[in-house]
Amino acid sequence: MSRTVIHGGLVITASDEIHADVLVEGGRVAALAAPGTDAAAGWSAERRIDATGKYVIPGGVDAHTHMEMPFGGTYAADTFETGTRAAAWGGTTTIVDFAIQSMGRSLREGLDAWFEKADGRCAVDYGFHMILSDVNESSLKEMDRLVAEGITSFKLFMAYPGVFYSDDGQILRAMQRASGNGGLIMMHAENGIAIDVLVEQALAEGRTDPRYHGDVRKVALEAEATHRAVQLARVAGAPLYVVHVSADEAVAEIAAARHKGLPVFGETCPQYLFLSTDNLAEPDFEGAKYVCSTPLRPREHQEALWRGLRNNELQVVSTDHCPFCFSGQKEMGRGDFSKIPNGMPGVEHRMDLLHQAVVEGHISRRRWIEIACAAPARMFGLYPRKGTIAPGTDADIVVYDPEAEQVLSAETHHMNVDYSAYEGKRITGRVETVLSRGVPVIEDGAYVGHAGHGAYVPRGLSQNL
Ligand code: DUC
Ligand code: ZN
Ligand code: ZN
């Protein structure tokens, strides 16, 4: 059985920071020992990684990606191959992507299509959530079967009428079903019916630039939908996970629900923490690079998100990675912001941006690991196999240099997209080595993994309840 020793580093998990040597054996963590005692303990190993002065952290778990997602007449530009490779570069060793049920089709057909796209192509491990676009008697029954197979979470949309949208009755039925089968409902909480009215009015009045995407998708309409989702989940007796929370008033709705003791959870994304409507207003259609939904908000909202992450009103930071090239894809919306495909690249830089948040004092090191690794793993039934470093866990391990400097740029990133949302941003900290189940994927600044190493991971029920 192949053995690796990572010695001299500071092992950081969501609960501890300890100087320890880590023994990896056959793809799993076998033991941790006090620094320097590894030889005495008889740890012979083929590979020894010197982590002196470095952090040894669990591989990141990005619970919200959309590889090759069809949207607005085009497809997200990262395939499972390019997207998981970029994830590995940034220290993310597990993604949970969204398989999509098409209108009029079964969940099974959607899921099979996503298995087909991912099979044999991934650099790191992957699981699936299921997007419910057509809630009916038959798809409700299928939910039970999927939960038994390890697809234990379901995304519903209160936005995008005519595409992914579910009405309140459909949402309630899906929540009731999840309450019975143990599944977790993930909600895109924006009032899409009202938004569509405002889109129509904006376009009719000649307000067509990307910044109006942010204008029409109002804070009140995110907060209202979040409130409604909470009340529907409460009536159904189901837990609720609100995805890509961007507005302070939506955080307040989640906090109020949690204060009542309801099992309501929230996720935000780096773009809401670091970017703002100032980006959406960039001239010459550049703002299109930042069109995603929920939209970027005025920067005053960022403090509520950071506070929410610190005090556990928000539990998870995922990326909602859904990249569209500026050239040829974002450009589809010149003269009509509603035709700009919604989504931004991000899977490569989540761990780094959140480390930058540690450097800037927004969160502690352990909270960094909690929100980026342990909490998403627990939330989606992957813990402790993923999300921590302890005897028996998968050896998904990142050696992270907290002192290295880097500048984010489309010139150097590995995502299959022609721009960076963080072009020129200076970051302190960088991934040095990445192991996926004990196998090197990134080593000495080079990609040494291969498509097909990444395995499908069936998930258990959410462990946060
Ligand atoms: N939001 C996006 O920005 N892109 C894809 C789907 C979504 O909900
Ligand atoms: Zn969404
Ligand atoms: Zn999404």
Side-chain angles (χ1 to χ4, degrees):
M1 212 182 290
S2 99
R3 290 176 134 212
T4 300
V5 171
I6 306 168
H7 60 93
L10 178 68
V11 178
I12 308 175
T13 64
S15 57
D16 297 297
E17 298 187 1
I18 46 167
H19 285 280
D21 296 344
V22 181
L23 175 64
V24 171
E25 201 170 50
R28 298 216 166 161
V29 174
L32 275 73
T37 58
D38 66 294
W43 289 2
S44 60
E46 296 85 76
R47 184 179 295 110
R48 301 181 71 79
I49 299 172
D50 184 359
T52 308
K54 312 282 160 61
Y55 298 160
V56 178
I57 59 173
V61 178
D62 189 344
H64 191 152
T65 68
H66 298 284
M67 306 303 171
E68 302 177 49
M69 182 188 186
F71 193 99
T74 185
Y75 288 85
D78 263 317
T79 61
F80 278 88
E81 182 167 349
T82 62
T84 56
R85 198 193 303 146
W89 273 104
T92 286
T93 51
T94 307
I95 63 161
V96 190
D97 203 87
F98 287 83
I100 302 180
Q101 174 201 23
S102 304
M103 193 69 94
R105 300 291 175 90
S106 66
L107 302 190
R108 176 69 53 194
E109 281 173 271
L111 189 57
D112 285 349
W114 256 256
F115 271 118
E116 182 78 17
K117 289 179 207 231
D119 188 35
R121 295 188 175 90
C122 292
V124 296
D125 290 354
Y126 60 98
F128 291 121
H129 314 283
M130 189 86 224
I131 287 177
L132 300 180
S133 313
D134 193 357
V135 178
N136 56 45
E137 261 320 297
S138 147
S139 53
L140 287 168
K141 285 203 186 95
E142 277 193 285
M143 281 174 75
D144 301 353
R145 290 197 284 274
L146 261 57
V147 168
E149 290 175 29
I151 319 292
T152 54
S153 38
F154 302 89
K155 185 177 178 190
L156 292 165
F157 287 78
M158 302 168 101
Y160 303 126
V163 189
F164 299 122
Y165 174 83
S166 293
D167 66 27
D168 288 356
Q170 290 172 310
I171 289 169
L172 183 63
R173 284 183 200 280
M175 286 175 165
Q176 287 170 331
R177 200 77 188 193
S179 149
N181 65 28
L184 179 62
I185 295 296
M186 307 169 75
M187 189 61 75
H188 179 129
E190 286 187 291
N191 185 328
I193 301 285
I195 286 168
D196 274 8
V197 172
L198 299 181
V199 169
E200 196 184 301
Q201 291 169 348
L203 294 176
E205 290 161 14
R207 290 182 280 130
T208 61
D209 287 349
R211 67 192 163 108
Y212 296 109
H213 171 85
D215 260 21
V216 298
R217 305 188 86 92
K218 303 226 175 269
V219 166
L221 298 177
E222 182 183 345
E224 181 276 328
T226 305
H227 182 83
R228 188 157 33 102
V230 167
Q231 298 310 324
L232 290 169
R234 183 176 164 204
V235 168
L240 173 70
Y241 176 93
V242 184
V243 296
H244 48 54
V245 174
S246 66
D248 54 4
E249 292 179 30
V251 179
E253 293 291 345
I254 292 168
R258 292 177 63 78
H259 192 69
K260 288 196 189 103
L262 296 171
V264 172
F265 308 97
E267 163 202 277
T268 191
C269 311
Q271 53 269 35
Y272 307 118
L273 296 164
F274 290 95
L275 303 173
S276 73
T277 43
D278 295 350
N279 299 99
L280 264 178
E282 285 178 16
D284 301 328
F285 197 64
E286 291 281 308
K289 294 176 176 173
Y290 307 93
V291 165
C292 60
S293 297
T294 54
L296 301 187
R297 301 293 182 192
R299 62 175 66 254
E300 299 80 76
H301 290 253
Q302 291 171 358
E303 193 37 48
L305 299 175
W306 287 120
R307 201 181 324 115
L309 285 171
R310 279 193 297 274
N311 68 17
N312 210 37
E313 288 162 355
L314 301 175
Q315 292 74 35
V316 171
V317 175
S318 305
T319 60
D320 200 5
H321 177 75
C322 190
F324 297 99
C325 288
F326 184 74
S327 170
Q329 293 193 296
K330 290 290 187 180
E331 282 179 332
M332 293 160 70
R334 270 192 200 277
D336 179 350
F337 68 83
S338 73
K339 295 203 165 59
I340 301 169
N342 287 197
M344 284 178 53
V347 75
E348 189 167 346
H349 298 308
R350 184 183 61 123
M351 298 299 285
D352 284 331
L353 286 163
L354 292 177
H355 180 259
Q356 185 64 24
V358 174
V359 171
E360 291 173 10
H362 292 295
I363 50 173
S364 69
R365 287 191 294 216
R366 278 180 289 123
R367 191 66 184 157
W368 170 42
I369 302 306
E370 171 75 20
I371 62 184
C373 309
R378 262 189 257 107
M379 191 69 68
F380 296 107
L382 292 164
Y383 196 86
R385 185 173 165 192
K386 308 293 189 189
T388 192
I389 297 176
T393 65
D394 279 1
D396 292 355
I397 298 178
V398 175
V399 177
Y400 196 82
D401 183 346
E403 309 287 344
E405 304 273 329
Q406 57 170 320
V407 178
L408 304 186
S409 172
E411 297 288 311
T412 47
H413 75 202
H414 303 87
M415 298 175 286
N416 186 35
V417 61
D418 62 0
Y419 74 93
S420 170
Y422 303 96
E423 189 67 42
K425 186 173 176 63
R426 290 184 176 279
I427 297 273
T428 303
R430 179 175 212 137
V431 167
E432 192 172 278
T433 300
V434 178
L435 304 182
S436 163
R437 283 176 280 107
V439 176
V441 186
I442 303 292
E443 210 172 24
D444 300 328
Y447 176 71
V448 294
H450 67 270
H453 164 79
Y456 169 67
V457 204
R459 297 180 292 110
L461 298 183
S462 179
Q463 296 152 295
N464 261 298
L465 310 174

